Amino acid sequence: MTTVKAGNTLREAYLAAQAKYFPANGILPDTLFFTMPQYNTWIALMDNQNQEDILKYAHEVVDNGFPAGVLMIDDNWQRYYGNFSFKSERFPDAKGMIDELHGLGFKVMVWICPFVSPDSPEYRDLAAKGYLLQSPDGAPAILNWWNGYSACYDLTNPAAADYFVKVLRQAQAEYGIDGFKFDAG
């Protein structure tokens, strides 16, 4: 790791880091993010993300005269970390739910993180490809984070980052998801 001093204020340091590591690409995010409300199911449901309550929440938003905007389905919708399929026991018709949310006027995002549950098929596949952060001994690192212990995509590896995007795009196509709330990385 290299430490660099850039400027004399936090603003100057931020602008230097932004220019080097995440320069503006000239593409404005969807204006919906700035013009309409963003609803997050974590506030209402915490860990209990499920189809019935998410639809109830969305209908209550619209029925009470609030405008539809972006609805973010938060953590605990997916089978486990690293798998981007809805839990069938909580979401018996995830695609139908998202279609209904779209019909109400919402754009739908789902919470995701770069963590991968150990001892899962995804973990074994990603470890074999070398797509996970490694410990000094070269084995996949198992990291302690607020939801326990997990491996993590090595997003500094372009092949791993490309694969991560590919898997997310597949989930978008399968369910009709409009975007993702990236967290915990």
Side-chain angles (χ1 to χ4, degrees):
M1 178 182 344
T2 304
T3 304
V4 176
K5 181 181 184 322
N8 294 310
T9 67
L10 181 59
R11 182 179 192 279
E12 290 170 351
Y14 167 78
L15 290 173
Q18 183 260 337
K20 182 171 183 176
Y21 296 109
F22 47 98
N25 62 10
I27 300 171
L28 182 68
D30 190 326
T31 57
L32 186 70
F33 286 109
F34 309 105
T35 60
M36 297 299 285
Q38 296 179 33
Y39 304 95
N40 189 306
T41 61
W42 184 260
I43 297 162
L45 304 175
M46 301 283 294
D47 283 324
N48 189 26
Q49 305 298 313
N50 67 83
Q51 181 171 328
E52 180 180 347
D53 288 339
I54 288 170
L55 287 172
K56 180 179 178 219
Y57 176 76
H59 279 277
E60 287 174 350
V61 165
V62 173
D63 292 347
N64 283 290
F66 292 98
V70 177
L71 189 135
M72 296 181 214
I73 299 171
D74 217 287
D75 186 15
N76 211 12
W77 63 271
Q78 63 202 89
R79 288 184 191 158
Y80 46 83
Y81 300 117
N83 179 285
F84 300 104
S85 295
F86 280 82
K87 290 180 180 175
S88 59
E89 66 273 14
R90 290 182 178 212
F91 297 90
D93 182 11
K95 173 78 168 93
M97 174 190 70
I98 292 171
D99 289 344
E100 186 171 339
L101 293 169
H102 285 153
L104 292 170
F106 290 97
K107 293 279 189 173
V108 180
M109 299 176 68
V110 294
W111 180 97
I112 61 111
C113 66
F115 290 107
V116 180
S117 295
D119 199 28
S120 67
E122 289 79 3
Y123 170 86
R124 288 185 286 281
D125 180 51
L126 295 168
K129 291 176 178 170
Y131 289 176
L132 299 172
L133 291 176
Q134 295 180 356
S135 60
D137 68 3
I142 302 299
L143 308 169
N144 183 5
W145 65 299
W146 73 71
N147 271 348
Y149 292 87
S150 298
C152 186
Y153 271 87
D154 178 0
L155 297 175
T156 66
N157 175 341
D162 289 346
Y163 185 80
F164 188 57
V165 169
K166 175 184 165 194
V167 172
L168 294 178
R169 294 282 185 229
Q170 288 171 340
Q172 276 188 292
E174 180 177 352
Y175 297 111
I177 298 164
D178 296 299
F180 301 97
K181 174 191 170 189
F182 291 89
D183 198 3

